[in-house]
Amino acid sequence: MMDTVLIANRGEIALRILRACRSLGLKTVAAYSEADAGLRHVQLADHRICIGPASAASSYLDAQRLIVAAELTGAQAIHPGYGFLSESAAFARAVEDAGLIFIGPPSEVIALMGDKVNAKRAMLDAGVPCVPGTPQQLPQELDQVQAIANDIGYPLIVKAVGGGGGRGMRIVRDQADLAQAVQLTREEAQRYFGNAGVYLERYLEHPRHIEIQVLADAHGNALWLGERDCSVQRRNQKLIEESPAPGIDRATIADLGQRCASACLRIAYRGAGTFEFLYEDGQFYFIEMNTRVQVEHPVTELVTGVDIVEEQLRVAMGLPLSVRQDQIRIQGHAIECRLNAEHPWKFTPSPGVVRSWTPPGGPGIRVESHLYAGYEVPPHYDSLVAKLLAHGASREQAMARMSTALAEIDVTGIDTNAPLHAILMQEPDFRAGGVDIHYLERRLAQGLGKENAT
Ligand code: ADP
């Protein structure tokens, strides 16, 4: 029995979860930090409970406080959103042990996919193609490490088994640098993830980032909802996402999607998830699975019409998915621009009081944001303040609608990166479609937007 959901997150995703709960007739509890009492979802929730000070370590990352908050407010389920504890197997297990429902896959599945070497092995077994490299933790002996490296071939990337957030990775172009790179990555991995395990993979020079959205329930159903191209990134952070991925053969994508759905059945996956791939020279290579809802999920919602967060909630309630694979059709094209509270060219964070906020509108426009005039963006968290989405019959129409929307936004009091997005929508390479993951940094290094920088 699940009638009340505790939202263990903040910002736009907390509001998104609240709306999905409401539309399914579920009650909500907002668990918020002292810095977040003014958030929209805290005001709108049926119940609210302060879980600690602004520091995430003492609030949104404190598993015990969240579980006690659920118990005190009578919530039977916890939705972790993205970031924070959303991919913590230990948190999911603690929630399960407390007799509550973790809205996500079972804790063992999070643990399996959170270890990248295990995840890679599971994917190879399921027939999903992976980046060349042995799915094994590196031994201590240098001669063995060198032998493994020679087998894979240079350039290589050393990656942390327990890595995440773009940390714990090092490129090696030459055998002379291997020993030191492995050592430094081990130290970093121990420091950030409490697990010094590392492994090697071939380093791909100019890949695109393409990912497959999946949904699975506890009744033996698993499906895939098309792909997203998230290649416009800066420092491994996605900035623009779109669906479908321009210029990739549909049959190849369908084959990959089907393999991902089958892999979900093999690992007893449940809920929403994403298989991330690098795509280079016509080949897909699995890099990792995200066992949670992603920031960019609305891109897929626009082209498929499926409400991914509602499906997560349905699965948590023990219901079957509301759609079948043969009902999924990709309609038109959707693009998302992440609006961050930061200087558009210097990328310095820009917290502060929002003086005015008028979001754009019109056909095909969707805005996911917790902003309102008078809201104070706190300095303690991620700088994402809004997601702007445009849907059109074609990619051209989606880009045109996005440009119109970006020009319409009125936000004062904080800086945002809207001017950067506006320029990117007019950039010839972006407009042509199919840029690689280094495109944005390359263009910034060439002086993109310099004439605007002051
Ligand atoms: P994280 O969990 O930290 O996000 P990922 O494995 O998803 O780590 O990798 C993050 C990013 O690092 C990728 O999107 C890509 O830009 C780069 N990367 C990872 N593996 C490779 C590789 N084998 N070759 C080239 N780039 C890679």
Side-chain angles (χ1 to χ4, degrees), residues 338-377:
R338 296 191 190 194
L339 223 61
N340 295 330
E342 66 188 16
H343 191 279
W345 316 114
K346 296 182 206 150
F347 301 101
T348 42
S350 179
V353 176
V354 176
R355 300 267 166 235
S356 65
W357 165 245
T358 311
I365 296 298
R366 172 172 164 185
V367 180
E368 292 288 335
S369 177
H370 54 287
L371 288 192
Y372 57 85
Y375 172 69
E376 182 168 4
V377 178

Side-chain angles (χ1 to χ4, degrees), residues 187-205:
E187 287 166 14
E188 203 172 288
Q190 179 62 43
R191 203 162 54 241
Y192 288 131
F193 316 114
N195 172 359
V198 298
Y199 65 107
L200 292 180
E201 235 173 44
R202 170 77 57 77
Y203 177 70
L204 304 176
E205 298 278 3

Side-chain angles (χ1 to χ4, degrees), residues 87-170:
E87 291 188 287
S88 162
F91 178 57
R93 196 171 316 114
V95 173
E96 292 162 357
D97 289 349
L100 301 168
I101 299 167
F102 177 79
I103 301 184
S107 57
E108 316 87 74
V109 179
I110 301 178
L112 171 75
M113 300 314 273
D115 177 311
K116 292 186 172 189
V117 163
N118 282 342
K120 238 177 130 168
R121 215 174 280 138
M123 289 305 105
L124 285 172
D125 288 347
V128 175
C130 294
V131 183
T134 36
Q136 67 175 73
Q137 273 202 41
L138 287 183
Q140 292 297 331
E141 297 74 15
L142 183 59
D143 54 336
Q144 289 181 33
V145 172
Q146 282 172 344
I148 293 169
N150 289 337
D151 271 353
I152 302 169
Y154 291 84
L156 290 166
I157 183 163
V158 191
K159 296 171 78 168
V161 169
R167 277 178 169 160
M169 268 181 272
R170 204 161 259 101

Side-chain angles (χ1 to χ4, degrees), residues 292-327:
R292 54 172 168 84
V293 70
Q294 284 190 287
V295 174
E296 59 271 27
H297 75 276
V299 168
T300 300
E301 295 184 326
L302 287 176
V303 293
T304 61
V306 175
D307 186 319
I308 292 171
V309 183
E310 268 192 38
E311 294 300 325
Q312 284 189 297
L313 294 168
R314 286 179 58 90
V315 171
M317 288 190 274
L319 298 171
L321 296 173
S322 72
V323 282
R324 293 189 317 264
Q325 189 72 60
D326 61 9
Q327 296 171 317

Side-chain angles (χ1 to χ4, degrees), residues 116 131-132 156-157 159 162-169 171 193 199 201-207 209 230 233 236 238 276-278 280 287-288 290 437-438:
K116 292 186 172 189
V131 183
L156 290 166
I157 183 163
K159 296 171 78 168
R167 277 178 169 160
M169 268 181 272
I171 301 162
F193 316 114
Y199 65 107
E201 235 173 44
R202 170 77 57 77
Y203 177 70
L204 304 176
E205 298 278 3
H206 301 291
H209 175 115
C230 313
Q233 305 181 356
N236 289 327
K238 299 165 184 167
E276 295 195 328
F277 295 88
L278 296 178
E280 189 171 82
I287 46 171
E288 66 163 345
N290 289 144
I437 59 173
H438 307 296

